[in-house]
Short mmCIF file of all heavy atoms in Angstrom, two decimals:
data_model
loop_
_atom_site.label_atom_id
_atom_site.label_comp_id
_atom_site.label_asym_id
_atom_site.label_seq_id
_atom_site.Cartn_x
_atom_site.Cartn_y
_atom_site.Cartn_z
N MET A 27 13.85 -4.18 22.61
CA MET A 27 14.14 -2.76 22.50
C MET A 27 14.06 -2.13 23.88
O MET A 27 13.31 -2.57 24.74
CB MET A 27 13.14 -2.10 21.57
CG MET A 27 13.33 -2.48 20.11
SD MET A 27 12.35 -1.51 18.96
CE MET A 27 10.73 -2.10 19.30
N GLU A 28 14.81 -1.08 24.05
CA GLU A 28 14.81 -0.33 25.29
C GLU A 28 13.45 0.33 25.49
O GLU A 28 12.82 0.78 24.54
CB GLU A 28 15.89 0.75 25.19
CG GLU A 28 16.10 1.59 26.41
CD GLU A 28 17.23 2.59 26.20
OE1 GLU A 28 18.24 2.24 25.56
OE2 GLU A 28 17.09 3.72 26.68
N GLU A 29 12.96 0.37 26.72
CA GLU A 29 11.70 1.05 27.00
C GLU A 29 11.94 2.56 26.91
O GLU A 29 12.87 3.10 27.52
CB GLU A 29 11.18 0.70 28.39
CG GLU A 29 9.85 1.32 28.68
CD GLU A 29 9.27 0.89 30.01
OE1 GLU A 29 9.68 -0.16 30.53
OE2 GLU A 29 8.41 1.62 30.51
N VAL A 30 11.10 3.24 26.12
CA VAL A 30 11.25 4.67 25.88
C VAL A 30 9.89 5.34 26.05
O VAL A 30 8.89 4.82 25.58
CB VAL A 30 11.79 4.93 24.45
CG1 VAL A 30 11.80 6.40 24.13
CG2 VAL A 30 13.18 4.35 24.29
N ARG A 31 9.86 6.47 26.71
CA ARG A 31 8.61 7.24 26.84
C ARG A 31 8.58 8.32 25.77
O ARG A 31 9.57 9.02 25.55
CB ARG A 31 8.51 7.89 28.21
CG ARG A 31 8.31 6.89 29.31
CD ARG A 31 7.99 7.62 30.61
NE ARG A 31 7.83 6.66 31.67
CZ ARG A 31 6.65 6.20 32.07
NH1 ARG A 31 5.56 6.63 31.49
NH2 ARG A 31 6.59 5.32 33.05
N TYR A 32 7.41 8.42 25.14
CA TYR A 32 7.22 9.41 24.07
C TYR A 32 5.91 10.13 24.34
O TYR A 32 4.89 9.50 24.62
CB TYR A 32 7.17 8.70 22.71
CG TYR A 32 6.62 9.54 21.59
CD1 TYR A 32 7.41 10.50 20.96
CD2 TYR A 32 5.32 9.38 21.14
CE1 TYR A 32 6.92 11.28 19.94
CE2 TYR A 32 4.82 10.15 20.11
CZ TYR A 32 5.62 11.10 19.52
OH TYR A 32 5.13 11.88 18.50
N VAL A 33 5.91 11.46 24.24
CA VAL A 33 4.70 12.25 24.37
C VAL A 33 4.52 13.01 23.07
O VAL A 33 5.41 13.77 22.66
CB VAL A 33 4.79 13.24 25.56
CG1 VAL A 33 3.55 14.10 25.64
CG2 VAL A 33 5.02 12.49 26.86
N GLY A 34 3.42 12.75 22.39
CA GLY A 34 3.19 13.42 21.12
C GLY A 34 1.94 12.88 20.45
O GLY A 34 1.12 12.20 21.07
N ASN A 35 1.83 13.14 19.17
CA ASN A 35 0.68 12.74 18.38
C ASN A 35 0.77 11.25 18.05
O ASN A 35 1.58 10.85 17.21
CB ASN A 35 0.62 13.60 17.12
CG ASN A 35 -0.60 13.33 16.29
OD1 ASN A 35 -0.98 12.19 16.05
ND2 ASN A 35 -1.23 14.41 15.85
N GLU A 36 -0.09 10.44 18.68
CA GLU A 36 -0.02 8.99 18.51
C GLU A 36 -0.31 8.58 17.06
O GLU A 36 0.37 7.72 16.52
CB GLU A 36 -1.02 8.31 19.44
CG GLU A 36 -0.99 6.80 19.36
CD GLU A 36 -1.97 6.14 20.30
OE1 GLU A 36 -2.60 6.84 21.10
OE2 GLU A 36 -2.10 4.91 20.21
N GLY A 37 -1.30 9.20 16.43
CA GLY A 37 -1.64 8.86 15.05
C GLY A 37 -0.49 9.14 14.09
O GLY A 37 -0.19 8.34 13.21
N PHE A 38 0.15 10.28 14.26
CA PHE A 38 1.29 10.66 13.41
C PHE A 38 2.44 9.69 13.61
O PHE A 38 3.08 9.23 12.67
CB PHE A 38 1.71 12.09 13.73
CG PHE A 38 2.87 12.58 12.91
CD1 PHE A 38 2.74 12.77 11.54
CD2 PHE A 38 4.09 12.85 13.51
CE1 PHE A 38 3.81 13.23 10.78
CE2 PHE A 38 5.16 13.30 12.75
CZ PHE A 38 5.01 13.49 11.39
N PHE A 39 2.71 9.34 14.89
CA PHE A 39 3.80 8.43 15.20
C PHE A 39 3.54 7.05 14.60
O PHE A 39 4.44 6.42 14.04
CB PHE A 39 3.99 8.37 16.72
CG PHE A 39 5.28 7.73 17.14
CD1 PHE A 39 6.49 8.32 16.85
CD2 PHE A 39 5.27 6.55 17.84
CE1 PHE A 39 7.69 7.74 17.25
CE2 PHE A 39 6.46 5.95 18.24
CZ PHE A 39 7.67 6.55 17.94
N MET A 40 2.31 6.56 14.69
CA MET A 40 1.97 5.26 14.12
C MET A 40 2.12 5.29 12.60
O MET A 40 2.56 4.31 11.99
CB MET A 40 0.54 4.86 14.50
CG MET A 40 0.42 4.43 15.95
SD MET A 40 1.50 3.04 16.40
CE MET A 40 0.83 1.75 15.38
N HIS A 41 1.77 6.39 11.97
CA HIS A 41 1.92 6.53 10.53
C HIS A 41 3.40 6.40 10.13
O HIS A 41 3.74 5.72 9.16
CB HIS A 41 1.35 7.88 10.07
CG HIS A 41 1.51 8.14 8.62
ND1 HIS A 41 0.73 7.52 7.67
CD2 HIS A 41 2.36 8.94 7.94
CE1 HIS A 41 1.10 7.93 6.47
NE2 HIS A 41 2.08 8.80 6.61
N ILE A 42 4.27 7.03 10.88
CA ILE A 42 5.71 6.96 10.61
C ILE A 42 6.21 5.52 10.76
O ILE A 42 6.92 5.00 9.90
CB ILE A 42 6.49 7.90 11.56
CG1 ILE A 42 6.18 9.36 11.21
CG2 ILE A 42 7.99 7.64 11.49
CD1 ILE A 42 6.68 10.35 12.23
N TRP A 43 5.84 4.86 11.89
CA TRP A 43 6.25 3.46 12.13
C TRP A 43 5.82 2.57 10.98
O TRP A 43 6.61 1.79 10.46
CB TRP A 43 5.60 2.93 13.42
CG TRP A 43 6.35 3.22 14.67
CD1 TRP A 43 6.22 4.33 15.44
CD2 TRP A 43 7.33 2.40 15.30
NE1 TRP A 43 7.06 4.23 16.52
CE2 TRP A 43 7.74 3.07 16.46
CE3 TRP A 43 7.89 1.17 14.99
CZ2 TRP A 43 8.70 2.53 17.31
CZ3 TRP A 43 8.83 0.64 15.86
CH2 TRP A 43 9.23 1.32 16.99
N MET A 44 4.55 2.67 10.60
CA MET A 44 4.01 1.80 9.57
C MET A 44 4.70 2.04 8.23
O MET A 44 4.99 1.11 7.49
CB MET A 44 2.49 1.98 9.44
CG MET A 44 1.74 1.52 10.69
SD MET A 44 2.13 -0.17 11.22
CE MET A 44 1.55 -1.11 9.85
N ASN A 45 4.97 3.29 7.90
CA ASN A 45 5.63 3.62 6.64
C ASN A 45 7.04 3.05 6.60
O ASN A 45 7.45 2.43 5.61
CB ASN A 45 5.65 5.14 6.45
CG ASN A 45 6.19 5.53 5.11
OD1 ASN A 45 7.40 5.54 4.92
ND2 ASN A 45 5.30 5.86 4.19
N LEU A 46 7.80 3.23 7.68
CA LEU A 46 9.18 2.72 7.72
C LEU A 46 9.22 1.19 7.66
O LEU A 46 10.02 0.61 6.92
CB LEU A 46 9.88 3.21 8.98
CG LEU A 46 10.19 4.71 9.03
CD1 LEU A 46 10.69 5.10 10.41
CD2 LEU A 46 11.20 5.08 7.96
N LEU A 47 8.36 0.54 8.44
CA LEU A 47 8.34 -0.92 8.44
C LEU A 47 7.86 -1.47 7.11
O LEU A 47 8.41 -2.45 6.59
CB LEU A 47 7.45 -1.43 9.58
CG LEU A 47 8.02 -1.23 10.98
CD1 LEU A 47 6.96 -1.54 12.03
CD2 LEU A 47 9.24 -2.08 11.19
N ASP A 48 6.83 -0.86 6.53
CA ASP A 48 6.31 -1.30 5.23
C ASP A 48 7.39 -1.21 4.16
O ASP A 48 7.58 -2.14 3.37
CB ASP A 48 5.10 -0.46 4.84
CG ASP A 48 4.46 -0.93 3.56
OD1 ASP A 48 4.15 -2.14 3.46
OD2 ASP A 48 4.25 -0.10 2.65
N ASN A 49 8.13 -0.11 4.13
CA ASN A 49 9.20 0.05 3.14
C ASN A 49 10.33 -0.95 3.36
O ASN A 49 10.89 -1.49 2.41
CB ASN A 49 9.75 1.47 3.15
CG ASN A 49 8.82 2.44 2.47
OD1 ASN A 49 7.98 2.06 1.66
ND2 ASN A 49 8.94 3.70 2.81
N ALA A 50 10.69 -1.20 4.62
CA ALA A 50 11.75 -2.17 4.92
C ALA A 50 11.35 -3.55 4.42
O ALA A 50 12.16 -4.26 3.82
CB ALA A 50 12.04 -2.20 6.41
N ILE A 51 10.11 -3.93 4.65
CA ILE A 51 9.63 -5.24 4.19
C ILE A 51 9.55 -5.29 2.67
O ILE A 51 10.00 -6.24 2.04
CB ILE A 51 8.26 -5.55 4.83
CG1 ILE A 51 8.42 -5.73 6.33
CG2 ILE A 51 7.62 -6.77 4.18
CD1 ILE A 51 7.11 -5.72 7.10
N LYS A 52 9.01 -4.24 2.09
CA LYS A 52 8.78 -4.20 0.64
C LYS A 52 10.08 -4.26 -0.17
O LYS A 52 10.16 -4.91 -1.20
CB LYS A 52 8.01 -2.93 0.27
CG LYS A 52 7.56 -2.85 -1.16
CD LYS A 52 6.90 -1.51 -1.49
CE LYS A 52 5.77 -1.20 -0.55
NZ LYS A 52 5.12 0.09 -0.86
N PHE A 53 11.12 -3.58 0.32
CA PHE A 53 12.33 -3.44 -0.48
C PHE A 53 13.48 -4.35 -0.03
O PHE A 53 14.56 -4.32 -0.60
CB PHE A 53 12.79 -1.98 -0.49
CG PHE A 53 11.80 -1.09 -1.21
CD1 PHE A 53 11.01 -0.20 -0.51
CD2 PHE A 53 11.65 -1.18 -2.58
CE1 PHE A 53 10.10 0.61 -1.16
CE2 PHE A 53 10.75 -0.38 -3.25
CZ PHE A 53 9.96 0.52 -2.53
N SER A 54 13.25 -5.16 1.00
CA SER A 54 14.27 -6.14 1.41
C SER A 54 14.14 -7.38 0.54
O SER A 54 13.05 -7.75 0.11
CB SER A 54 14.07 -6.54 2.87
OG SER A 54 14.47 -5.49 3.72
N PRO A 55 15.25 -8.05 0.29
CA PRO A 55 15.18 -9.29 -0.49
C PRO A 55 14.43 -10.37 0.29
O PRO A 55 14.34 -10.31 1.52
CB PRO A 55 16.65 -9.67 -0.70
CG PRO A 55 17.40 -8.98 0.38
CD PRO A 55 16.63 -7.74 0.71
N GLU A 56 13.91 -11.35 -0.41
CA GLU A 56 13.23 -12.46 0.23
C GLU A 56 14.17 -13.13 1.24
O GLU A 56 15.36 -13.30 0.97
CB GLU A 56 12.79 -13.48 -0.81
CG GLU A 56 11.89 -14.56 -0.27
CD GLU A 56 11.31 -15.44 -1.35
OE1 GLU A 56 11.22 -15.01 -2.51
OE2 GLU A 56 10.95 -16.57 -1.02
N ASN A 57 13.67 -13.43 2.40
CA ASN A 57 14.44 -14.01 3.51
C ASN A 57 15.50 -13.06 4.06
O ASN A 57 16.45 -13.49 4.71
CB ASN A 57 15.09 -15.35 3.12
CG ASN A 57 14.06 -16.40 2.78
OD1 ASN A 57 13.05 -16.53 3.47
ND2 ASN A 57 14.30 -17.14 1.72
N GLY A 58 15.37 -11.77 3.77
CA GLY A 58 16.30 -10.77 4.30
C GLY A 58 16.04 -10.53 5.78
O GLY A 58 15.06 -11.00 6.35
N THR A 59 16.91 -9.78 6.40
CA THR A 59 16.82 -9.48 7.83
C THR A 59 16.48 -8.01 8.02
O THR A 59 17.07 -7.14 7.37
CB THR A 59 18.15 -9.79 8.53
OG1 THR A 59 18.45 -11.18 8.34
CG2 THR A 59 18.08 -9.48 10.01
N ILE A 60 15.55 -7.74 8.93
CA ILE A 60 15.21 -6.38 9.32
C ILE A 60 15.49 -6.27 10.82
O ILE A 60 15.02 -7.09 11.61
CB ILE A 60 13.73 -6.06 9.03
CG1 ILE A 60 13.49 -6.13 7.52
CG2 ILE A 60 13.35 -4.70 9.59
CD1 ILE A 60 12.03 -6.04 7.13
N THR A 61 16.26 -5.27 11.22
CA THR A 61 16.64 -5.09 12.62
C THR A 61 16.17 -3.71 13.08
O THR A 61 16.36 -2.72 12.36
CB THR A 61 18.17 -5.19 12.78
OG1 THR A 61 18.61 -6.41 12.19
CG2 THR A 61 18.57 -5.15 14.24
N MET A 62 15.57 -3.66 14.28
CA MET A 62 15.08 -2.39 14.81
C MET A 62 15.75 -2.11 16.15
O MET A 62 15.96 -3.03 16.95
CB MET A 62 13.56 -2.45 15.04
CG MET A 62 12.78 -2.67 13.79
SD MET A 62 10.98 -2.67 13.96
CE MET A 62 10.65 -3.08 15.62
N PHE A 63 16.08 -0.86 16.38
CA PHE A 63 16.62 -0.39 17.65
C PHE A 63 15.80 0.81 18.10
O PHE A 63 15.45 1.65 17.28
CB PHE A 63 18.08 0.06 17.50
CG PHE A 63 19.02 -1.00 17.00
CD1 PHE A 63 19.30 -1.11 15.65
CD2 PHE A 63 19.63 -1.88 17.89
CE1 PHE A 63 20.16 -2.08 15.18
CE2 PHE A 63 20.50 -2.85 17.43
CZ PHE A 63 20.76 -2.96 16.07
N LEU A 64 15.51 0.88 19.37
CA LEU A 64 14.81 2.03 19.94
C LEU A 64 15.52 2.35 21.24
O LEU A 64 15.67 1.49 22.11
CB LEU A 64 13.34 1.70 20.19
CG LEU A 64 12.49 2.82 20.79
CD1 LEU A 64 12.37 3.98 19.81
CD2 LEU A 64 11.12 2.29 21.17
N ARG A 65 15.95 3.59 21.38
CA ARG A 65 16.66 3.94 22.61
C ARG A 65 16.51 5.43 22.92
O ARG A 65 16.26 6.25 22.04
CB ARG A 65 18.12 3.55 22.52
CG ARG A 65 18.91 4.29 21.45
CD ARG A 65 20.37 3.84 21.45
NE ARG A 65 21.05 4.39 20.29
CZ ARG A 65 21.69 3.67 19.40
NH1 ARG A 65 21.77 2.37 19.52
NH2 ARG A 65 22.29 4.23 18.38
N HIS A 66 16.67 5.74 24.17
CA HIS A 66 16.64 7.12 24.65
C HIS A 66 18.08 7.58 24.75
O HIS A 66 18.91 6.91 25.37
CB HIS A 66 15.95 7.17 26.02
CG HIS A 66 15.83 8.54 26.55
ND1 HIS A 66 16.62 9.01 27.56
CD2 HIS A 66 15.01 9.56 26.21
CE1 HIS A 66 16.29 10.25 27.82
NE2 HIS A 66 15.31 10.61 27.02
N GLU A 67 18.39 8.68 24.10
CA GLU A 67 19.77 9.20 24.13
C GLU A 67 19.72 10.70 24.36
O GLU A 67 19.14 11.43 23.55
CB GLU A 67 20.49 8.86 22.83
CG GLU A 67 21.97 9.18 22.89
CD GLU A 67 22.73 8.57 21.73
OE1 GLU A 67 22.71 7.34 21.59
OE2 GLU A 67 23.33 9.34 20.97
N ASN A 68 20.34 11.15 25.43
CA ASN A 68 20.30 12.55 25.84
C ASN A 68 18.84 12.97 25.98
O ASN A 68 18.11 12.37 26.73
CB ASN A 68 21.09 13.44 24.89
CG ASN A 68 22.56 13.06 24.85
OD1 ASN A 68 23.16 12.70 25.86
ND2 ASN A 68 23.15 13.09 23.67
N ASP A 69 18.40 13.97 25.25
CA ASP A 69 17.01 14.43 25.33
C ASP A 69 16.20 14.02 24.11
O ASP A 69 15.23 14.69 23.75
CB ASP A 69 16.97 15.96 25.46
CG ASP A 69 17.50 16.43 26.81
OD1 ASP A 69 17.37 15.67 27.79
OD2 ASP A 69 18.05 17.54 26.89
N SER A 70 16.58 12.93 23.46
CA SER A 70 15.87 12.51 22.26
C SER A 70 15.64 11.01 22.26
O SER A 70 16.21 10.28 23.05
CB SER A 70 16.65 12.92 21.00
OG SER A 70 17.87 12.23 20.93
N VAL A 71 14.77 10.59 21.36
CA VAL A 71 14.48 9.18 21.15
C VAL A 71 15.05 8.81 19.79
O VAL A 71 14.84 9.52 18.80
CB VAL A 71 12.96 8.91 21.17
CG1 VAL A 71 12.66 7.47 20.81
CG2 VAL A 71 12.38 9.26 22.53
N GLN A 72 15.79 7.72 19.73
CA GLN A 72 16.36 7.25 18.46
C GLN A 72 15.68 5.95 18.07
O GLN A 72 15.60 5.03 18.87
CB GLN A 72 17.85 7.01 18.57
CG GLN A 72 18.68 8.25 18.60
CD GLN A 72 20.16 7.91 18.48
OE1 GLN A 72 20.60 6.85 18.90
NE2 GLN A 72 20.91 8.81 17.90
N PHE A 73 15.20 5.92 16.83
CA PHE A 73 14.65 4.70 16.26
C PHE A 73 15.49 4.40 15.03
O PHE A 73 15.61 5.22 14.13
CB PHE A 73 13.18 4.90 15.86
CG PHE A 73 12.62 3.74 15.10
CD1 PHE A 73 12.42 2.52 15.72
CD2 PHE A 73 12.31 3.87 13.77
CE1 PHE A 73 11.89 1.45 15.02
CE2 PHE A 73 11.78 2.80 13.05
CZ PHE A 73 11.57 1.59 13.68
N ILE A 74 16.10 3.22 15.00
CA ILE A 74 16.97 2.83 13.89
C ILE A 74 16.39 1.56 13.29
O ILE A 74 16.10 0.60 14.00
CB ILE A 74 18.41 2.59 14.38
CG1 ILE A 74 18.96 3.87 15.01
CG2 ILE A 74 19.29 2.11 13.22
CD1 ILE A 74 20.22 3.67 15.80
N LEU A 75 16.18 1.57 11.99
CA LEU A 75 15.65 0.44 11.27
C LEU A 75 16.66 0.09 10.18
O LEU A 75 16.95 0.91 9.32
CB LEU A 75 14.30 0.80 10.65
CG LEU A 75 13.56 -0.29 9.91
CD1 LEU A 75 13.14 -1.38 10.88
CD2 LEU A 75 12.34 0.28 9.22
N GLU A 76 17.20 -1.12 10.26
CA GLU A 76 18.19 -1.57 9.27
C GLU A 76 17.60 -2.73 8.49
O GLU A 76 16.96 -3.61 9.05
CB GLU A 76 19.47 -2.04 9.96
CG GLU A 76 20.19 -0.95 10.72
CD GLU A 76 21.40 -1.47 11.48
OE1 GLU A 76 21.57 -2.70 11.59
OE2 GLU A 76 22.16 -0.64 11.98
N ASP A 77 17.77 -2.68 7.17
CA ASP A 77 17.31 -3.79 6.33
C ASP A 77 18.37 -4.07 5.28
O ASP A 77 19.40 -3.41 5.24
CB ASP A 77 15.95 -3.49 5.71
CG ASP A 77 15.96 -2.27 4.79
OD1 ASP A 77 16.83 -2.19 3.90
OD2 ASP A 77 15.08 -1.42 4.95
N GLU A 78 18.11 -5.06 4.45
CA GLU A 78 19.08 -5.45 3.43
C GLU A 78 18.66 -4.97 2.05
O GLU A 78 19.12 -5.49 1.03
CB GLU A 78 19.25 -6.96 3.46
CG GLU A 78 19.82 -7.44 4.79
CD GLU A 78 19.90 -8.94 4.90
OE1 GLU A 78 19.34 -9.66 4.07
OE2 GLU A 78 20.56 -9.39 5.85
N GLY A 79 17.79 -3.96 2.00
CA GLY A 79 17.32 -3.41 0.73
C GLY A 79 18.35 -2.49 0.11
O GLY A 79 19.45 -2.29 0.66
N PRO A 80 18.02 -1.89 -1.04
CA PRO A 80 18.96 -1.06 -1.78
C PRO A 80 19.27 0.29 -1.13
O PRO A 80 20.21 0.96 -1.53
CB PRO A 80 18.27 -0.86 -3.13
CG PRO A 80 16.82 -1.01 -2.84
CD PRO A 80 16.75 -2.02 -1.72
N GLY A 81 18.52 0.71 -0.14
CA GLY A 81 18.77 1.99 0.51
C GLY A 81 18.08 3.12 -0.22
O GLY A 81 17.55 2.96 -1.31
N ILE A 82 18.10 4.29 0.43
CA ILE A 82 17.45 5.46 -0.18
C ILE A 82 18.45 6.57 -0.34
O ILE A 82 19.49 6.57 0.26
CB ILE A 82 16.24 5.95 0.63
CG1 ILE A 82 16.64 6.23 2.08
CG2 ILE A 82 15.13 4.94 0.60
CD1 ILE A 82 15.56 6.91 2.88
#
């Protein structure tokens, strides 16, 4: 992943990461693929998590 600087609430950010990753693992089929992207674009940070689950 691209190196990205983030300034904010570390605990809140970790909660978001853990929730997204937990859901991707929980709802993906066995032996499914989970792909993560992290990048800085303009004045924002983009985190993209793709899995093979049913979607929301």
Side-chain angles (χ1 to χ4, degrees):
M27 289 190 289
E28 183 178 322
E29 183 176 339
V30 173
R31 291 189 182 263
Y32 165 79
V33 177
N35 185 314
E36 182 179 354
F38 180 67
F39 194 65
M40 287 302 296
H41 178 75
I42 292 169
W43 274 89
M44 294 307 296
N45 186 281
L46 291 171
L47 290 170
D48 184 52
N49 284 338
I51 293 167
K52 188 185 306 180
F53 295 108
S54 287
E56 189 172 337
N57 297 318
T59 300
I60 296 171
T61 307
M62 298 183 336
F63 301 93
L64 180 66
R65 64 180 171 235
H66 183 255
E67 188 167 301
N68 298 323
D69 291 331
S70 65
V71 174
Q72 285 189 330
F73 173 69
I74 301 166
L75 183 66
E76 297 176 349
D77 62 50
E78 297 176 348
I82 55 171

